[in-house]
Amino acid sequence: MKVVLASVKPEWWEKILSGEKGLEIRKSAPQSKDGRAFRWPLTVLVYVSGTGAVQGQFTCPGWIKTNLLEMLVERSGVKLEDLRTYAKGGSLYGWLVENPQKYDTPSPLAEFGLTAPPMSWRYVEIPDAAAEV
């Protein structure tokens, strides 16, 4: 099953877990490039920067893209001036965050076939739990 692995700073992960952060801000978002439909909602695995491991996950039912950065401030918890700096005059994506879960036991990146975390995010394949039953 294709999922997304995203690098998230520790302070943002804590805000996601607490429910304070309902949008994860990125310059791009998962999209089908070959015309095949995606399976939404997507599972987003969260690599917490500096920990060396995937610490949890959340469900992403979709995203919004906008250059009206003021719309993103409240749900993302990111200051408007920081959004403007990050966007560099362009649009940003707000990934919708639902059902965040912190793992009891973090998973090393090697479990996903990786030796280094993604700079922002990337696709990874994980076994489909339904296919294992």
Side-chain angles (χ1 to χ4, degrees):
M1 171 170 75
K2 186 184 282 190
V3 299
V4 169
L5 175 66
S7 292
V8 176
K9 291 182 179 180
E11 60 269 22
W12 295 124
W13 177 232
E14 291 304 319
K15 289 182 182 284
I16 287 170
L17 288 172
S18 73
E20 293 176 61
K21 186 171 173 58
L23 283 178
E24 180 58 22
I25 303 301
R26 301 291 163 147
K27 290 184 179 179
S28 62
Q31 299 179 46
S32 176
K33 296 192 186 304
D34 60 6
R36 290 186 289 173
F38 255 163
R39 290 177 63 184
W40 291 94
L42 289 176
T43 297
V44 178
L45 304 176
V46 178
Y47 168 83
V48 179
S49 302
T51 65
V54 175
Q55 301 284 331
Q57 68 182 50
F58 64 84
T59 301
C60 178
W63 46 261
I64 57 171
K65 179 182 180 185
T66 186
N67 61 356
L68 300 172
L69 304 180
E70 296 82 3
M71 302 182 26
L72 304 175
V73 172
E74 186 176 338
R75 289 188 60 198
S76 72
V78 180
K79 295 177 188 172
L80 181 58
E81 52 271 18
D82 293 340
L83 290 170
R84 286 183 175 142
T85 299
Y86 185 56
K88 296 181 182 172
S91 296
L92 292 175
Y93 292 83
W95 297 13
L96 301 169
V97 174
E98 292 183 354
N99 305 316
Q101 301 170 15
K102 183 176 182 177
Y103 295 161
D104 292 332
T105 305
S107 299
L109 288 173
E111 286 186 22
F112 306 96
L114 300 175
T115 57
M119 292 299 290
S120 179
W121 66 274
R122 64 170 288 165
Y123 298 108
V124 294
E125 289 285 336
I126 62 171
D128 189 345
E132 294 178 359
V133 176

